[in-house]
Amino acid sequence: MRAAGRSVRARLRDRIAASDPGLLRLTAGLRTVGAIALTLAVLTVLGADVHLLVAGAMAAMVATFAIREKQLGAQAVTLALGLPVALVSVTLGAVLNARLYVGDVFFVVLIFCAVYGRRFGDRGTALGLIGFQVYFLSLFVGAEVSALPTLCGAIAVAFCSSALLRFAVVPATPTGVLLRLRLAFRARLAQLVSAQLDLLDAAPDEMDKALEAVRDGTARLHETAMMIQAQLEEGTPDESAARLVQRRIADAEIAAERLGLLVLTSRSAERADTLTLHLPGAPAPSVGQPAVPDETTATLRRDLQALRALVLRAGSGDSGTALAHVRNRLLGYRDEENLPPAPAAVQDVFRGIGEAARSVLGLRIALDGPQDESDDTPSTARSREELDAEDAAIDGGEEPAEEQETGLRRPTTRAAVQVAVGSTLAIVGGELLSTQRWYWAVLTCWIVFLNTASTGEILVKGYRRLLGTVFGVVAGIVLAGLVGQHTWTAFGLVLVLIFAMFYVAPLSYTLMSFFVTAMLGLLYTLLHTYSLDVLLLRVEETALGAACGVIAAALVLPVRTDRRTNELLGTVLDRLAEVTEAAVGQLSGGPADELLDKARELDQALADLRAATQPLTHPVTPLRARRHTARYVVALLETCAYHARTLAATAELLPTHPSIAADPRLRGAAGRTVRNIETIAARVADEHAAARVETGPSIASLLGSDAGTPRYGRITDRVLRHLERLDEAVVGLARPLGVPMAEPRA
């Protein structure tokens, strides 16, 4: 019974870890709700009225979510600075509330400064956010000069409550967050292996669904890997240890993605295209189940299940004989003599399982230290020796500083000007709708500019906020009718809605807006200002604020979506060329380079591009052809990035891996691929560029191997395969991007 209970708890823990990597959403929700609850409790004991309770709850929420630094010391400094900023802001709000024009002008200046402060990093962003939100709070509760002492006291209580929750009750250190992210990576890796197992067993009419699950699992694993990369510097004091974890995470991700492709190929009538794993909605290849004995299929299924078990138990401290037996069997597939008799595509799956097991072993050693080697087979011992040699070769390096734009070209300056203009329009229009609640339009205008960089992104965010607000109004009407004047019931529901708001915020902006609006309906009820007209006015002010934001973004220093995506596309192509050239150079015998850092920069650039293309791929986009093109280009780039990452990982093995040796022929054979990437980048930057994409013989034929020698001399089949797939994907980018093709060379 105890074992069963532990198993259930472990499965539940893995599911939670996989659904919320690092428990970041859960932590944010609990910390915010806890800070608000503590503030309400203290203010109630002090005999505060409902207005002060609402003000304290809002201040506690702002003080909690505004702080974004990773280190606790930096968070404490920002929170300490935020309190005087909040007190000054609420004081000015109370003083200027009755002075129509002066108050409006100051509000616009405050908004400009708050957005401009983003250029100073997380602290500048937090202090600007606190200043704006607390000023908004003063307007919401109708702050007056005579009530300032008690209002400032409520805000001070809120900041102290936030500090207590942040540093004592629900602390989140970079080391702890990194540990939870590693657990999430393990859980998502196990989920991906489960999806690959389902793909292996899927009936022909279920292949598309199973393939979509593999796509989702691959994307979720990559997302977690990126989150770990972002946390490594702060969460791992030792730079060498951080780079080791970074390397092992990258190895595991590459091995898992490759295994998915091999499983798909084993089910296909022909070799599956890597693009199939990256293009959403792409149909599964036609099924051509190879003639495999039942026992081989059963063995393959058993070993995928064993790999999943190995992943799940890799971080549990379990190092028993049974686990060692499973590990040794899977690692044995890295040796040709241990492969079962089967078609080549199925044998590749067994090889992929062996490489995935090796990556899990490397990850476990990197995270948990040396392991018991008493039960090692020769295959396992060889894998350990390879990992030890690779670990010893890992060294740190400094990243070059990026050039910063200046003046109005600086994103923070441009956004500050745009928000100031949009807020001015929102103030004018909002006061025409309501002289009492015009600030809702300003709030919406402010929010649609947060974390957006182009007119299209602002338009989509405004649409999502309006949609969430409309449904939130309906929920607010229902909740207000149910709660009536039951103050503590309403506050209890407010806490539930706030937790839901923070938990879903990274997943759905529409849902977050829904919970915010429903919560406001309850707050209006508490302030005795609730009515159907007020909630309908909320929708009108939201629509007006979103419209003002879009107008300002479109007319004032605009950044068109096409321009934004082209800039990011150029960055991705530049990073892709850098990774490919550096990896091929090292595989050709050139000097070692910081390939892990270059691959990480490529992944980050691709993530930025993927986010920027959301306006083009959104379901409401009327231009369907453009939407399909954007999805296709991003999928092709993801395919290119996968092959480039694999080449970089293989190149880093070069000094230590006995089966990989430099081959100078590679530099010339892959030179065409790098030139094509640079040609496409030049065409994206200047549509009048005259360069053309080169086509011609395959990479394999360019190596010029002799018929009497081993197939590719000292170059492994895998390196060559990834080079060829990368070359094909790069050429494939030319058509959707309108880059002309050169005539094949004779």
Side-chain angles (χ1 to χ4, degrees):
M1 291 296 291
R2 290 181 181 177
R6 284 196 299 269
S7 177
V8 171
R9 287 196 298 272
R11 288 198 297 269
L12 180 61
R13 181 195 62 190
D14 290 336
R15 288 186 178 181
I16 294 175
S19 64
D20 182 14
L23 301 182
L24 299 178
R25 294 173 7 235
L26 180 64
T27 301
L30 291 177
R31 184 185 287 163
T32 306
V33 169
I36 295 173
L38 181 58
T39 301
L40 293 175
V42 173
L43 292 178
T44 301
V45 171
L46 296 175
D49 61 16
V50 172
H51 284 74
L52 285 179
L53 292 176
V54 171
M58 294 180 68
M61 182 171 65
V62 173
T64 305
F65 78 73
I67 311 299
R68 295 297 177 89
E69 283 104 337
K70 295 176 182 177
Q71 295 291 351
L72 293 180
Q75 294 175 14
V77 172
T78 302
L79 193 60
L81 294 174
L83 179 56
V85 169
L87 296 179
V88 170
S89 184
V90 75
T91 301
L92 289 172
V95 171
L96 300 175
N97 189 23
R99 301 182 182 182
L100 182 61
Y101 298 110
V102 176
D104 291 348
V105 171
F106 174 77
F107 201 10
V108 173
V109 173
L110 174 63
I111 289 169
F112 176 89
C113 294
V115 177
Y116 186 77
R118 297 180 199 171
R119 68 169 294 191
F120 301 108
D122 289 336
R123 180 163 297 157
T125 301
L127 295 179
L129 190 58
I130 289 171
F132 171 83
Q133 293 286 1
V134 172
Y135 192 89
F136 172 84
L137 179 158
S138 70
L139 298 174
F140 183 80
V141 300
E144 298 178 353
V145 176
S146 60
L148 271 178
T150 54
L151 188 56
C152 289
I155 291 175
V157 169
F159 271 74
C160 291
S161 299
S162 177
L164 182 62
L165 264 292
R166 177 179 295 276
F167 301 119
V169 181
V170 192
T173 63
T175 303
V177 171
L178 181 59
L179 175 61
R180 292 193 293 270
L181 284 173
R182 285 161 26 186
L183 292 175
F185 184 86
R186 175 177 60 81
R188 286 191 166 183
L189 179 56
Q191 288 180 345
L192 177 56
V193 175
S194 296
Q196 293 166 352
L197 182 60
D198 292 340
L199 180 65
L200 179 70
D201 292 333
D205 59 341
E206 297 176 345
M207 281 288 291
D208 286 334
K209 181 179 179 181
L211 178 57
E212 191 60 37
V214 172
R215 284 195 196 104
D216 290 343
T218 303
R220 284 159 59 85
L221 185 68
H222 181 65
E223 175 193 31
T224 312
M226 292 291 291
M227 295 172 71
I228 291 175
Q229 303 255 5
Q231 198 73 28
L232 274 175
E233 184 176 351
E234 300 288 346
T236 310
D238 184 357
E239 184 178 356
S240 296
R243 290 184 64 79
L244 175 59
V245 173
Q246 178 187 6
R247 170 65 175 274
R248 295 304 168 215
I249 290 290
D251 286 347
E253 182 190 358
I254 290 170
E257 189 167 359
R258 180 171 180 267
L259 179 58
L261 181 63
L262 294 175
V263 172
L264 179 62
T265 300
S266 72
R267 293 296 314 275
S268 307
E270 55 187 14
R271 176 169 291 277
D273 191 338
T274 315
L275 178 63
T276 307
L277 279 183
H278 298 128
L279 182 59
S286 58
V287 176
Q289 193 73 278
V292 181
D294 291 341
E295 58 270 20
T296 302
T297 303
T299 301
L300 186 57
R301 187 179 296 109
R302 179 203 64 182
D303 288 335
L304 281 171
Q305 293 170 341
L307 177 62
R308 179 178 57 192
L310 189 67
V311 171
L312 287 172
R313 297 168 70 180
S316 63
D318 186 349
S319 57
T321 303
L323 183 66
H325 176 73
V326 169
R327 180 197 62 213
N328 292 338
R329 187 180 77 246
L330 300 186
L331 287 172
Y333 291 136
R334 301 185 66 225
D335 297 326
E336 294 294 319
E337 61 270 16
N338 294 327
L339 294 175
V346 176
Q347 285 192 330
D348 280 343
V349 179
F350 282 106
R351 292 189 186 96
I353 291 174
E355 293 299 327
R358 178 189 184 274
S359 72
V360 173
L361 175 63
L363 191 59
R364 183 172 187 179
I365 293 174
L367 299 180
D368 302 329
Q371 309 293 311
D372 181 15
E373 303 178 14
S374 58
D375 295 322
D376 282 1
T377 61
S379 296
T380 303
R382 179 170 65 86
S383 295
R384 287 191 192 276
E385 291 171 0
E386 293 171 359
L387 292 168
D388 290 342
E390 293 167 19
D391 296 349
I394 292 179
D395 189 16
E398 297 183 358
E399 297 184 13
E402 295 184 0
E403 295 184 3
Q404 298 292 331
E405 295 180 328
T406 58
L408 291 177
R409 295 177 58 196
R410 189 192 300 271
T412 50
T413 306
R414 180 176 59 243
V417 173
Q418 290 177 323
V419 177
V421 172
S423 298
T424 302
L425 296 175
I427 289 173
V428 174
E431 290 187 341
L432 291 176
L433 286 175
S434 170
T435 57
Q436 300 297 320
R437 295 183 175 84
W438 52 269
Y439 43 80
W440 286 120
V442 182
L443 179 67
T444 299
C445 182
W446 156 279
I447 288 177
V448 297
F449 275 94
L450 293 178
N451 301 319
T452 54
S454 70
T455 305
E457 291 178 59
I458 292 170
L459 180 61
V460 170
K461 191 170 185 180
Y463 159 79
R464 288 172 174 166
R465 183 168 184 83
L466 181 59
L467 186 64
T469 299
V470 170
F471 287 103
V473 164
V474 177
I477 293 172
V478 174
L479 291 175
L482 293 174
V483 171
Q485 300 303 316
H486 300 287
T487 300
W488 292 111
T489 303
F491 270 123
L493 286 175
V494 165
L495 293 178
V496 172
L497 292 171
I498 288 175
F499 177 83
M501 175 181 71
F502 279 91
Y503 195 77
V504 305
L507 304 178
S508 171
Y509 186 72
T510 302
L511 276 178
M512 187 197 76
S513 300
F514 166 81
F515 289 121
V516 169
T517 305
M519 175 196 68
L520 289 172
L522 291 174
L523 292 181
Y524 278 132
T525 302
L526 291 169
L527 294 173
H528 306 294
T529 56
Y530 167 79
S531 70
L532 179 59
D533 291 338
V534 168
L535 291 181
L536 292 178
L537 178 63
R538 160 82 172 152
V539 175
E540 294 172 353
E541 295 281 3
T542 298
L544 175 64
C548 291
V550 172
I551 291 171
L555 300 181
V556 181
L557 305 174
V559 177
R560 308 294 182 191
T561 303
D562 287 347
R563 173 186 159 192
R564 169 75 174 162
T565 53
N566 281 347
E567 289 175 351
L568 293 174
L569 175 57
T571 302
V572 172
L573 291 169
D574 290 341
R575 298 289 182 269
L576 179 62
E578 290 173 4
V579 174
T580 304
E581 189 170 26
V584 171
Q586 197 161 319
L587 287 167
S588 303
D593 206 337
E594 298 297 335
L595 293 177
L596 285 178
D597 291 336
K598 290 182 184 296
R600 182 179 62 182
E601 291 169 2
L602 169 61
D603 286 337
Q604 186 57 58
L606 186 53
D608 293 340
L609 175 63
R610 193 183 303 110
T613 57
Q614 286 185 2
L616 302 178
T617 59
H618 196 273
V620 300
T621 302
L623 303 176
R624 292 184 176 274
R626 198 164 116 177
R627 180 172 64 189
H628 294 323
T629 299
R631 286 178 175 171
Y632 183 68
V633 168
V634 171
L636 272 174
L637 288 170
E638 288 177 344
T639 292
C640 292
Y642 161 67
H643 293 298
R645 279 197 306 269
T646 307
L647 288 173
T650 306
E652 288 220 332
L653 299 177
L654 192 60
T656 59
H657 205 290
S659 64
I660 303 175
D663 190 324
R665 296 176 298 173
L666 268 182
R667 189 185 301 276
R672 182 183 70 196
T673 304
V674 175
R675 288 194 301 272
N676 283 342
I677 298 172
E678 294 171 344
T679 295
I680 296 173
R683 181 73 178 212
V684 169
D686 179 10
E687 62 180 9
H688 300 295
R692 295 173 176 268
V693 167
E694 302 176 25
T695 59
S698 68
I699 300 294
S701 64
L702 292 176
L703 289 180
S705 57
D706 298 327
T709 63
R711 189 178 178 193
Y712 298 120
R714 292 170 294 171
I715 301 300
T716 64
D717 286 350
R718 186 184 306 175
V719 169
L720 186 58
R721 190 160 54 241
H722 285 294
L723 278 173
E724 290 180 327
R725 296 293 179 267
L726 177 61
D727 185 65
E728 293 168 0
V730 169
V731 173
L733 276 170
R735 182 180 58 80
L737 295 177
V739 184
M741 295 281 189
E743 292 295 330
R745 295 182 180 180

